[in-house]
Amino acid sequence: MTRNIVFSFAKAIFFLVKKLSRVLDLPPENLIKSISAIPISRKEEVADFQLCVDSLLENNNDHSRPDIQVQATRLAEKLKCDTVVSEISTGRGTVNFKINRELLTKTVLQQVINDGSKYGLKSELFSGLPQKKIVVEFSSPNVAKKFHVGHLRSTIIGNFIANLKEALGHQVTRINYLGDWGMQFGLLGTGFQLFGYEEKLQSNPLQHLFEVYVQVNKEAADDKNIGKSAHEFFQRLELGDTQALALWQKFRDLSIEEYVRIYKRLGVHFDEYSGESFYREKSQEVLKLLDSKGLLQKTVKGTAIVDLSGNGDPSSICTVMRSDGTSLYATRDLAAAIDRMDKYNFDTMIYVTDKGQTKHFQQVFQMLQIMGYDWAERCQHVPFGVVQGMKTRRGNVTFLEDVLNEIRSRMLQNMASIKTTKELENPQQTAERVGLAALIIQDFRGLLLSDYQFSWDRVFQSRGDTGVFLQYTHARLHSLEETFGCGYLNDFNTACLQDPQSVSILQHLLRFDEVLCRSSQDLQPRHIVSYLLTLSHLAAMAHKTLLIKDSPPEVAGARLHLFRAVRSVLANGMKLLGITPVTLTA
């Protein structure tokens, strides 16, 4: 009877809404917000869903409402169990529904195995979702300058958003918009002619360009001629001098080559390496367009501004041109947005940067609107907070590679102390993947907008709510499958998974689609992180008591099915977050 029912969180809610709508004679839309999942308990079995009677009665205009508890009891008495709902009870102001355990067990486990990496994404919550063209701009370091922690946060957050959108079936374009133009290249060109070495540039371009940049800045503070030479070099670049451009192009190409290699270690890729340099000419067209619409105003200093308030409010003034006629960051961003709409015809464009740029993007989007581009409302800024205290043993973070090397060395040290490295074929790679998981989970646990204090010690704890714990749980569950093989995985008896621990895991697996839906709506990874950590804690407890070894074959097979489903969903969620799951045989 229940064999062919496909089940999910959304379907369960829909079923309950229909059932209640008939009994209460209320439209389904009045009921949907009153039903929620009951939080999973690690200690005891709980019902699956609850109807909040109080919120239901808020829609009722009758001000002489009877006692909530009396109402809950009356309502529960009107409702009948069926093939899906096996038990109806009351709580404090709620009516609780328990899903048929055989149905829950059979359908959830079958669906996790059958859907594989698509589990949760095929839910009714996403049905009818139009496929969109989405551009995500993230990471965006400055060539020859520090790859600071803000760029690291932008990289992992942008990667998560792109992963999630892709998983939901959208066409995603990942853009890395490099800071590859501006006065710093005048200094860099002059500095390289004075202090640069071709061999060092080829062997470690990011490090060498940074060293040259630091040195030339230091020298320019004492020697005005260096500043003059730098200005002349940048003017040559702006005018298209072939020699100057060839040197700039070499710096850019070698830097991108190095970035690609480092991003690969991070598990991140881009479809396009763009940059401010692409828009130095197109930004002049933007200035002409602003001028033709009467939006450009000249100041006494010779700069050009746009007054977004229309009444001279200083906080609403955006400078778009220097006194020498060259463009600024805002102008280049306007040109880039217009170019991307022409190129990709996007439905949404997401910029992932720190919250310090919130005003900048508000002004850019507003200028696009007043320039007549209605699609400006499709542009979205996802801001994030500041991380304090991230230092390596060598000092403050200068490059992304410093962070990756620090992660790997610290994790190798931790693994050596608990004697796990002997089991691994590639301990260095495993250490880096576990360390990255630790870093990402630390970053994603709270609201993206929140600032937080970074702590290496907290990041690498193997117990508690950490990325190390997630990886350890995944590896342990994978090891179970390796040890007991796939002989048990053909079929299973649902009666063997009716204990409270198994049911809690099944209830949690059922809710994966709801969690994905929440993250897709607000682009916050913390919902998925919280879900995966709870799943790992449930699995860790079950692993100790739901033994496979020495259990009867029927029991062992059912439990192996359950653990396999947990590992599959754990891996799916981790991959969305940008984490590569590890195994003990990696």
Side-chain angles (χ1 to χ4, degrees), residues 143-144 178-180 185 188 198 201-206 209 244-263 273-275 277-278:
V143 174
L178 300 173
D180 64 354
F185 282 94
L188 200 58
E198 188 62 32
L201 180 66
Q202 294 294 337
S203 64
N204 195 341
L206 298 182
L209 288 175
L245 277 173
L247 189 59
W248 167 84
Q249 191 70 50
K250 185 195 282 187
F251 293 162
R252 191 180 190 278
D253 291 347
L254 286 169
S255 295
I256 289 176
E257 218 174 280
E258 192 74 352
Y259 281 134
V260 169
R261 182 184 66 78
I262 297 163
Y263 284 129
Y273 279 85
S274 176
S277 60
F278 284 51

Side-chain angles (χ1 to χ4, degrees), residues 88-213:
I88 298 167
S89 60
T90 58
R92 287 186 179 178
T94 64
V95 178
N96 302 333
F97 303 91
K98 186 175 176 181
I99 301 299
N100 176 312
R101 292 297 175 238
E102 187 184 340
L103 174 71
L104 179 75
T105 308
K106 192 80 175 174
T107 55
V108 168
L109 291 188
Q110 275 186 346
Q111 211 164 338
V112 172
I113 303 306
N114 292 344
D115 289 356
S117 63
K118 294 288 180 187
Y119 178 69
L121 297 163
K122 292 184 174 183
S123 163
E124 294 75 17
L125 292 174
F126 303 114
S127 63
L129 192 74
Q131 286 199 351
K132 294 184 176 181
K133 293 175 185 171
I134 297 172
V135 171
V136 187
E137 183 201 290
F138 62 105
S139 195
S140 308
N142 296 302
V143 174
K145 288 188 179 179
K146 288 184 180 183
F147 189 109
H148 60 73
V149 185
H151 294 127
L152 175 59
R153 283 207 87 186
S154 174
T155 306
I156 60 176
I157 294 166
N159 188 49
F160 158 71
I161 292 170
N163 288 346
L164 184 60
K165 294 292 186 186
E166 262 176 9
L168 290 169
H170 301 298
Q171 187 183 323
V172 177
T173 302
R174 301 159 185 251
I175 295 180
N176 197 341
Y177 184 66
L178 300 173
D180 64 354
W181 200 251
M183 193 55 207
Q184 83 241 37
F185 282 94
L187 281 163
L188 200 58
T190 299
F192 190 77
Q193 288 165 345
L194 293 170
F195 318 114
Y197 293 93
E198 188 62 32
E199 317 83 69
K200 285 186 178 181
L201 180 66
Q202 294 294 337
S203 64
N204 195 341
L206 298 182
Q207 179 72 40
H208 187 52
L209 288 175
F210 177 67
E211 286 167 354
V212 167
Y213 188 68

Side-chain angles (χ1 to χ4, degrees), residues 81 190 224 454:
C81 295
T190 299
K224 287 182 180 175
F454 184 85

Side-chain angles (χ1 to χ4, degrees), residues 64 87 128 131 139 154 157 201 318 323 348 393 405 409 446 475 479 526 542:
S64 58
E87 194 179 298
Q131 286 199 351
S139 195
S154 174
I157 294 166
L201 180 66
C318 184
S323 55
T348 307
R393 290 187 179 100
N405 292 340
S409 68
S479 183
R526 67 195 175 103

Side-chain angles (χ1 to χ4, degrees), residues 9 12-21 24 28 30-38 48-53 55-56 95 97 514:
F9 176 89
I13 292 279
F14 180 67
F15 180 87
L16 290 173
V17 165
K18 271 179 74 178
K19 186 182 183 79
L20 288 161
S21 179
L24 299 172
N30 285 19
L31 293 160
I32 201 96
K33 289 179 183 175
S34 301
I35 298 177
S36 61
I38 296 173
D48 301 282
F49 297 98
Q50 63 185 14
L51 172 73
C52 177
V53 178
S55 74
L56 190 65
V95 178
F97 303 91
E514 188 232 357

Side-chain angles (χ1 to χ4, degrees), residues 35-47:
I35 298 177
S36 61
I38 296 173
I40 301 292
S41 169
R42 295 186 200 171
K43 294 177 182 175
E44 58 183 359
E45 189 183 333
V46 294

